[in-house]
Amino acid sequence: MKIAVIADPHFHDVVSWPGLEGPAFRSFADSIASTRVFNESSPALKALLDDIVRHGISLVIIAGDLSDDGQRAAMAKTAALLDDYTRRHGLRFLATPGNHDLYAIHGRHQSKRFLNADGSHVLVTSDAEMPQGDSVARLVTDDMYCGGYAQALADMASFGFFRQASDLHWESPFGSDDDLDNRRFVIRSADGATERNMIDASYLVEPVAGLWVLSLDANVFEPRNGDLDPVAEASYHDSTSAGWNAMLRHKPFIFDWMSDVARRARAQKKKLIVFSHYPMINPSNGALADEMALFGMSDSLRRVPVRAVAETVAATGIKVHFGGHLHVNHTAVYHDSDGFLVNVAVPSMVAFPPAYKVVGIEAERLTVETALIGDVPGYDVAFPFYRAETDSEGLTGAADHVDFLDRHLALLVRERYLPKEWPADLARLAPMLSLVELDRLAGDPRSLLAEEIGPRVSDGQLTLLDMITDWYRLRKANSLALDFIPPERIARYRALVRRFRTDRSWLPGSLQAQLAKFMRLMSAGLDGNPSADFTIDLRDGAVEDLSRHRGRTERRQTGGA
């Protein structure tokens, strides 16, 4: 048996939007400020599903964030697309809700900018109080509103959240009744004074004989202190940065149920596949301390799970977990005296690298292969509108979907990550310092301050910014990134890492001290890359590398499976 696992499709239909004339293209300026692209989700998800059909796979797991941002129109169109693949190709979809699919009890407003052919944009919002800003027009519509649990789960009803006639077994943490009124728990504010009755969407299903699929709802909408309006978005802590860390505090019943499910699966000899939206193990290649030292508590680091999550899950008997949310390709393993846990981080089709996982189920092992999707018909559907809006970075010169996402990542590094996460002096110097100058600094006997360094780069020279961008490629794609970084650059990076690996004690706060921290991160990125294709021994958690590195062309031709 083979199963496809996809994550974070963030589907946005570019064909039309209620109330708008013509195509419904989102502003690319908004994509530059985001960790994902928007319009490309439409052709990318269709290409991914077509690839799954070509491989003869019928069971598809979706690890959350099915829609763009949970808007009513987006949820309806996402469900319609997936239901069409069910009707035409027999695909069965099992999903878990992501933080972009729903919001707490009553939902929240959404506002998006849609492009006109001349590069201007229209603000489409569900909030009548939202100002028009620099948009040329404003459209207020309920179709833009993101629903709460009841509304969103009704939209995704056929994706495992409710019992289907063909299911051999179905249950939730609350029993066999799939009525949402009987799938509620009490969640309290930090001070204990405010209580809300919240739905949990977790379920266990046996879609085919011998296979159990456990979908865990790891969204946590914690009420803020004070008896605030339960309808207001600001009355809750957003689940985006909470994930499994908040599950430890607010959903202990889920861990008890996980233990019971794992015990019964072993006793009944069922194969158990477990997934949620959020990761259970930090995908940092063991470099968390170095990232904290360089960046402090960045937005990215706020989203990673603490060690106690893996400890608690391993004690339940759950052995392998698939998750999304971070848009990265990664595999991490945790071992302790209670057992082990393997967390497989599944990438997204709307961020670099665009790929999904193919899981083969055997007697005592799982085989996991990574399918990189480069051939996306219509990946450039919005390019004429981007040209009218902005093309200063050559975005519309992308050769294919992968190349477009790679260019988007480079923009993210410059426009989002550097200014928001990096020390200001390194961010300023990144485009100025060449690799030649970095090598000289590594051998300089003085500990220099950043302000002592001016522009030191000539045309055509690789810079610190290039190296940082390649580090983000490695951080997000791991071994897949080796298909996108020339070998000669890898060799130069390794040489620089060695140059900064000396016993010298750089003056704290000096430029070299900061560069040495980054070089440690680069070393982890170069040497700690998990393979894209591997097997997991379900008896001891051993992960065996199937192919350290498969060429880009071969992976595209085979789909990676």
Side-chain angles (χ1 to χ4, degrees), residues 455-505:
R456 304 288 186 95
V457 62
S458 301
D459 289 343
Q461 285 188 314
L462 288 173
T463 65
L464 175 59
L465 178 58
D466 294 316
M467 189 175 184
I468 289 173
T469 302
D470 281 337
W471 175 71
Y472 275 101
R473 289 186 176 102
L474 291 163
R475 190 172 188 252
K476 291 179 177 294
N478 282 279
S479 62
L480 291 183
L482 300 176
D483 293 332
F484 299 87
I485 307 173
E488 58 271 19
R489 291 218 315 248
I490 295 287
R492 292 194 68 180
Y493 297 156
R494 290 189 184 280
L496 273 174
V497 166
R498 287 193 297 270
R499 289 278 284 156
F500 278 89
R501 271 187 191 163
T502 68
D503 295 330
R504 293 180 56 186
S505 296

Side-chain angles (χ1 to χ4, degrees), residues 235-461:
S235 298
Y236 300 90
H237 292 283
D238 195 321
S239 63
T240 299
S241 297
W244 281 96
N245 294 335
M247 293 285 285
L248 294 171
R249 301 192 309 275
H250 293 288
K251 291 190 180 182
F253 64 92
I254 290 291
F255 296 95
D256 294 337
W257 183 55
M258 291 163 63
S259 297
D260 183 56
V261 169
R263 177 189 58 78
R264 286 185 283 138
R266 290 192 299 271
Q268 298 179 39
K269 300 188 183 307
K270 305 289 186 181
K271 300 301 178 187
L272 181 61
I273 297 293
V274 182
F275 71 107
S276 75
H277 181 56
Y278 303 90
M280 290 180 169
I281 302 176
N282 173 33
S284 67
N285 291 336
L288 180 60
D290 286 327
E291 288 195 26
M292 288 285 291
L294 185 59
F295 304 131
M297 185 54 74
S298 66
D299 288 344
S300 298
L301 295 180
R302 287 189 184 95
R303 298 186 176 197
V304 301
V306 297
R307 182 181 177 89
V309 171
E311 292 174 348
T312 305
V313 174
T316 69
I318 298 296
K319 300 179 183 298
V320 181
H321 169 261
F322 294 86
H325 187 51
L326 299 183
H327 301 178
V328 299
N329 177 61
H330 192 271
T331 303
V333 185
Y334 170 83
H335 283 276
D336 67 11
S337 57
D338 288 325
F340 67 88
L341 174 67
V342 180
N343 186 87
V344 181
V346 184
S348 167
M349 285 299 296
V350 289
F352 180 82
Y356 69 99
K357 301 291 182 179
V358 177
V359 183
I361 304 174
E362 303 172 18
E364 294 293 345
R365 66 179 58 240
L366 295 179
T367 300
V368 181
E369 297 176 286
T370 305
L372 181 71
I373 303 298
D375 184 12
V376 176
Y379 77 95
D380 55 354
V381 64
F383 280 16
F385 282 62
Y386 293 163
R387 292 189 189 102
E389 182 185 21
T390 176
D391 190 28
S392 59
E393 301 300 324
L395 295 167
T396 57
D400 55 23
H401 183 61
V402 185
D403 187 29
F404 180 76
L405 292 177
D406 188 52
R407 294 177 187 219
H408 175 254
L409 175 58
L411 269 179
L412 279 184
V413 173
R414 195 188 72 188
E415 302 293 335
R416 177 183 173 117
Y417 296 137
L418 275 179
K420 289 187 67 173
E421 298 186 352
W422 282 70
D425 48 4
L426 279 188
R428 177 181 66 85
L429 289 174
M432 300 178 177
L433 288 177
S434 69
L435 298 194
V436 172
E437 182 64 15
L438 289 178
D439 186 71
R440 191 195 70 76
L441 287 170
D444 199 312
R446 302 164 296 165
S447 290
L448 300 173
L449 298 178
E451 53 264 31
E452 299 178 60
I453 304 297
R456 304 288 186 95
V457 62
S458 301
D459 289 343
Q461 285 188 314

Side-chain angles (χ1 to χ4, degrees), residues 3 18 39 42 45 56 77 87 93 97 109 117 127 136 229 232 299 361 393 399 407 451 467-468 496 508 523 538:
I3 297 173
N39 303 310
S42 184
L45 180 56
K77 291 190 175 188
R87 287 191 300 271
F93 296 98
H109 287 295
D127 185 359
V136 297
D229 179 4
D299 288 344
I361 304 174
E393 301 300 324
R407 294 177 187 219
E451 53 264 31
M467 189 175 184
I468 289 173
L496 273 174
S523 178
L538 299 177

